[in-house]
Amino acid sequence: MKHISIFIAAFLFSILFFEKNIGLNLTIFSIVTTVLLVGYNSKKFKDKTIILHALVYIFTALLVFIQHSSLSIITNCITFFTLVGVVSEQRTSIYVHWLNGIYTTVAGYFHRTFESNTDAKKVNWKKDIDVLHVAKLIGIPLVFILVFIMLYKNGNPMFNNLVSRIDFSFINFQWLLFTVLGYYLFNNISKPVQVDPATSTDLKTQSTLFKSGTFSEEKLKKEKQLGTVLLGFLNLLIVVYIITDIIYVITGETISASAFSSQVHSGINTLIASIIIAIMIILYFFRGNLNFYAENRALKNLSFLWIFLNVMLIVLIAIKNQNYITAFGLTYKRIGVHIYILLTFIGLITTWIKVLKVKNLAFLFRRNTQIAFIVLLVCSTINWDYTITKYNLNVAKSFDIGYLINLTNRNAILLNKKKDDINISSADKHRIETKYSKHMMALAERDWQEWNYEMFENETKFNSTE
Amino acid sequence: MNIPANLAKSCLLATVIFWVIISSKSIDPDIILFMFLSIIPIFIVSTIVILSTICSVFWLAENADFNKKQVFKTYYPYYVIIVFGICVFAIISSGFDLYIIAFFSSVFITTNQSWVWFAKETQK
C-alpha cells in the first residue's frame, strides 16, 4: 500500500513538472505532499502545531497560484522544509526544522536504509536477500541482453532489421527517470528523519539563563562598572546624533535623487553597525551571572535606554526612506530597506525581552528566526510588481518608467491600461505595448500545469474584450 | 574499512547511473565501446572523491569511543546537504545540460550509497 501511494504520487509528479514551468503544478504538488504526509504520519497530525504548519504550507501553495512570484515560490519551498521538519520533530527550533526538512528531502531514503540495516537486520535478513536475488535475476540479464543486442545489430543485417522493427519511441525514458526522481522525493518525505546530534542538542537547550556555580561578587561589580560607563557614554553619543539627525530631517531641503539615495544608504550602514554593536554589547554584559547580580539595576536601565534610542534611530531612517520613496518612487531595494528596518526593530525588541526575562542566546536565535519566517510569509502575500507600478503611477512625485517596464509581466496589464494617462515618450509606449502583447501570447501558450490566478483572470478579461 | 570493495561497487554504480541518464535521450550502438572505456575515468573520479571526502571523515573521526554508526549519524547529514547543494548549483548553472545532470546525479547517488556501505561495515 505504501509503495502504491508513492507510485501514484511519483506519477503525478511527472505529469505536473516534466518540462513545465511553475504554476498550478506547485499548488497541486503541495496538496499531494500534505495528503501523503498525513497518510504516513496520521498520529503526528493530531498535534495542533503540525496541523498549523500544514495549513500554512497549503496557504503558501495557494499564494504560488495567486501571486506567482519568485518570493511566493521560495516561501513555499521553505514552508515545505519546515513542515517536513515539524513532522520529524515538532518541539525543536525552526532552524532545526529546516535542517531536518532538508535532510529528509535530500537523503531520507539513505538514512532509513542505514537505520533499517542496523535495527531490522536480524528479523528480515532472509527477506532482504530474496529481494536482492530477484533484483539480480532481472537486472543483470537485462543489462547484458541489451548490450549484446546492440553488438549483434552491427554483425548481421537481418538481425539488425528485426531489432529495428521493435519501436520503443512511445516510451519517453526521460519522463520515466523524472518519475523515479519523484518516487525518490516522496519516498524520502514519507517518513521524516532527524539529524541526530543537532535535534537532541536543540531539545536539551533551554531558552532561559541559570545562575552558574562560580559567583564572584567582586568580578561582577567590576564588570557592572565597566558596562555602566560604556553604555552611559554610548547613550550620550547616540542622543547627540539623534538630535542632529532630527534637526536635519525637519529642516531638510529637496535634493537630487543620487544625493538622497547616498544619504539613505549611508544612514542604513550606520544603522547596521550601530544595531549589531548594540546587541553584541548587551549580549556580552548579560551573558551570565550579571543577570542575577543584585546591583545591576543601573546597567539594565542603561541597556533599555540604549535599545530605546536605537529604536529612535530606526524610526528616523524609516522616515528618510519613506521621504525618498514619496519623492522618487517605490523600488524593490527601497522596500527591502523598509523590511530590514522592521527586522532590526524586532531584533531590538527581542533583545529587550532577553534582558528583561533573563533569556539566553538560544532564545534570541529562536524568536528572531521565527519572526523572520513570518515576515517572509507576509511579504509573499503581496503582488510587489503590481504594487510598485500602481504606487509609482498614482502617488510618487517622479518615477523611472524604464524600471517599471523591466519588472515581470505581472504589471503588464496595468502599464498598458495607464500608458495613455502618463507623460512618457512614444518609444516607452511602444515598449509597454510589446510587453503587453508578449504577455498575452505567453498566456495562450501555457499548459494547464503552468496556470496561475493572474493569467486566468487576464485571459478572462482578454476574451471578453475580444 | 573495506576500501577496494567499496570503490569497485561505487564505480559500477556511478557508471550505470551515468549511462542510464545519458541513454534516456537517445542511444547509439556505436557508443557501447565508450561505455566500457568510461569505467576508467569514472573509477578515477570515484576514487578521488570517496577517498578525499568520505574516507577522510572516517579516518579522522572514528576511534574506540566513536564507531562508524556514530560517524555516519554525526557527519553524513551535513555532507549530503552540502553535496546536494553543489550538485544542484552545477546542474542549474549548466542550464540543465544532460551530461552535467548525468555526472552530478551519479556523484550524488554514489557518494550517498558509499557512505551507507562504509557505515554498514559496523555490523559485520
Side-chain angles (χ1 to χ4, degrees):
Chain A
M1 185 61 196
K2 178 189 172 181
H3 290 288
I4 290 170
S5 53
I6 295 177
F7 264 122
I8 294 166
F11 184 71
L12 267 172
F13 178 80
S14 273
I15 291 173
L16 291 171
F17 291 107
F18 185 70
E19 292 180 348
K20 297 282 181 287
N21 291 314
I22 297 295
L24 181 64
N25 48 11
L26 193 58
T27 312
I28 297 171
F29 169 80
S30 303
I31 294 164
V32 171
T33 303
T34 312
V35 170
L36 198 87
L37 276 170
V38 173
Y40 282 94
N41 308 275
S42 49
K43 280 182 186 170
K44 289 191 173 182
F45 270 84
K46 284 169 186 163
D47 187 278
K48 281 179 186 170
T49 317
I50 296 180
I51 294 170
L52 179 71
H53 277 87
L55 290 174
V56 170
Y57 180 51
I58 298 290
F59 174 68
T60 60
L62 292 174
L63 284 179
V64 172
F65 178 69
I66 296 165
Q67 300 295 357
H68 198 247
S69 62
S70 303
L71 191 66
S72 62
I73 294 167
I74 291 167
T75 308
N76 181 261
C77 292
I78 294 173
T79 320
F80 167 78
F81 293 130
T82 316
L83 176 65
V84 175
V86 168
V87 176
S88 162
E89 174 56 69
Q90 76 266 38
R91 292 168 297 158
T92 54
S93 312
I94 193 161
Y95 43 83
V96 179
H97 291 331
W98 293 335
L99 185 67
N100 285 333
I102 294 170
Y103 179 51
T104 299
T105 310
V106 167
Y109 164 77
F110 289 101
H111 182 97
R112 284 199 303 274
T113 307
F114 170 74
E115 291 275 298
S116 64
N117 276 305
T118 315
D119 302 333
K121 195 190 169 201
K122 290 169 217 157
V123 186
N124 284 331
W125 64 274
K126 200 171 178 180
K127 195 182 166 192
D128 286 345
I129 288 170
D130 285 339
V131 171
L132 192 71
H133 185 63
V134 170
K136 279 180 185 172
L137 269 177
I138 298 166
I140 295 171
L142 189 71
V143 169
F144 277 96
I145 285 168
L146 285 172
V147 168
F148 277 94
I149 284 174
M150 283 169 189
L151 289 171
Y152 291 152
K153 266 176 80 175
N154 293 335
N156 180 343
M158 193 178 272
F159 185 75
N160 185 22
N161 191 30
L162 188 73
V163 172
S164 301
R165 286 185 189 175
I166 304 168
D167 185 16
F168 284 115
S169 61
F170 65 95
I171 302 172
N172 187 337
F173 287 101
Q174 286 194 329
W175 190 91
L176 282 178
L177 281 181
F178 201 76
T179 311
V180 172
L181 176 70
Y183 183 85
Y184 176 72
L185 174 68
F186 284 112
N187 188 27
N188 280 351
I189 62 166
S190 61
K191 283 278 172 198
V193 294
Q194 293 170 15
V195 179
D196 202 19
T199 308
S200 53
T201 309
D202 189 73
L203 285 172
K204 283 179 206 156
T205 309
Q206 294 183 319
S207 294
T208 312
L209 268 175
F210 294 100
K211 198 189 287 184
S212 69
T214 50
F215 196 92
S216 164
E217 282 226 10
E218 187 61 30
K219 206 177 161 188
L220 288 178
K221 195 178 176 184
K222 283 180 184 171
E223 210 167 86
K224 191 210 87 176
Q225 280 174 345
L226 173 67
T228 311
V229 172
L230 179 66
L231 282 173
F233 278 114
L234 284 174
N235 277 320
L236 201 64
L237 187 67
I238 202 171
V239 165
V240 175
Y241 177 81
I242 287 169
I243 289 168
T244 54
D245 212 30
I246 289 170
I247 294 166
Y248 178 78
V249 168
I250 293 168
T251 60
E253 297 162 14
T254 311
I255 52 174
S256 69
S258 58
F260 214 158
S261 168
S262 120
Q263 266 184 26
V264 172
H265 290 138
S266 66
I268 289 295
N269 292 336
T270 312
L271 184 72
I272 293 167
S274 170
I275 305 298
I276 290 170
I277 294 168
I279 292 173
M280 278 166 64
I281 289 170
I282 291 167
L283 290 181
Y284 174 76
F285 285 113
F286 291 98
R287 70 189 182 282
N289 286 334
L290 203 56
N291 285 285
F292 309 101
Y293 184 51
E295 293 169 31
N296 69 358
R297 197 67 253 165
L299 184 62
K300 272 197 174 181
N301 287 338
L302 279 172
S303 301
F304 294 147
L305 181 65
W306 174 241
I307 290 170
F308 173 74
L309 291 171
N310 273 289
V311 169
M312 280 192 73
L313 196 65
I314 286 174
V315 172
L316 283 168
I317 292 290
I319 291 168
K320 277 185 196 173
N321 193 40
Q322 191 51 48
N323 288 344
Y324 185 33
I325 289 168
T326 313
F328 302 107
L330 205 55
T331 63
Y332 271 104
K333 276 188 181 174
R334 290 161 206 172
I335 293 166
V337 169
H338 265 328
I339 290 167
Y340 173 74
I341 288 168
L342 174 71
L343 290 174
T344 316
F345 174 72
I346 292 163
L348 282 169
I349 299 297
T350 50
T351 310
W352 176 71
I353 295 169
K354 180 241 171 297
V355 177
L356 191 72
K357 306 246 173 178
V358 196
K359 300 286 182 185
N360 58 12
L361 203 59
F363 165 83
L364 273 186
F365 277 124
R366 284 170 180 162
R367 287 289 163 272
N368 288 339
T369 323
Q370 273 177 338
I371 292 164
F373 178 59
I374 293 166
V375 170
L376 180 71
L377 264 176
V378 173
C379 288
S380 63
T381 60
I382 299 163
N383 182 349
W384 289 109
D385 288 338
Y386 184 87
T387 310
I388 289 169
T389 310
K390 196 176 175 185
Y391 181 89
N392 287 0
L393 296 181
N394 295 330
V395 182
K397 288 173 188 165
S398 63
F399 60 87
D400 180 3
I401 189 68
Y403 179 82
L404 298 180
I405 295 170
N406 288 333
L407 291 174
T408 67
N409 282 344
R410 293 188 303 153
N411 68 354
I413 305 268
L414 181 65
L415 271 178
N416 191 58
K417 197 175 157 187
K418 292 266 184 183
K419 70 177 190 298
D420 296 324
D421 304 337
I422 50 178
N423 187 22
I424 52 171
S425 66
S426 55
D428 284 332
K429 274 186 187 172
H430 180 68
R431 281 177 71 197
I432 290 172
E433 281 163 2
T434 312
K435 180 178 178 161
Y436 176 77
S437 55
K438 273 184 184 174
H439 180 51
M440 286 305 174
M441 274 174 73
L443 268 182
E445 287 167 7
R446 294 259 160 175
D447 290 322
W448 68 268
Q449 291 97 328
E450 299 164 329
W451 270 90
N452 61 70
Y453 176 73
E454 194 200 13
M455 287 177 166
F456 175 76
E457 198 180 40
N458 289 349
E459 198 177 58
T460 314
K461 281 178 191 171
F462 185 67
N463 289 338
S464 64
T465 52
E466 289 285 294
Chain B
M1 284 171 81
N2 192 353
I3 295 170
N6 192 307
L7 288 179
K9 286 190 281 185
S10 299
C11 173
L12 195 66
L13 181 65
T15 311
V16 170
I17 294 165
F18 184 78
W19 284 109
V20 162
I21 294 174
I22 298 225
S23 310
S24 67
K25 194 173 184 182
S26 63
I27 187 157
D28 184 357
D30 299 335
I31 216 165
I32 287 175
L33 182 66
F34 291 104
M35 281 185 183
F36 286 106
L37 283 175
S38 71
I39 293 174
I40 298 163
I42 289 173
F43 178 75
I44 295 167
V45 172
S46 306
T47 306
I48 292 167
V49 171
I50 290 170
L51 287 181
S52 61
T53 65
I54 303 175
C55 291
S56 58
V57 176
F58 279 100
W59 289 329
L60 290 169
E62 194 185 359
N63 57 45
D65 303 322
F66 205 65
N67 62 25
K68 283 195 175 73
K69 187 182 171 182
Q70 287 165 311
V71 173
F72 179 90
K73 284 198 161 188
T74 309
Y75 298 106
Y76 170 72
Y78 305 104
Y79 177 92
V80 74
I81 290 169
I82 293 166
V83 168
F84 179 76
I86 293 168
C87 292
V88 168
F89 177 76
I91 288 170
I92 293 171
S93 303
S94 72
F96 296 94
D97 180 80
L98 187 67
Y99 282 88
I100 299 291
I101 292 174
F103 178 79
F104 281 99
S105 301
S106 60
V107 165
F108 178 73
I109 297 169
T110 309
T111 49
N112 275 282
Q113 191 56 51
S114 182
W115 263 96
V116 174
W117 281 327
F118 276 129
K120 268 168 66 180
E121 287 177 14
T122 306
Q123 280 85 55
K124 287 180 182 171

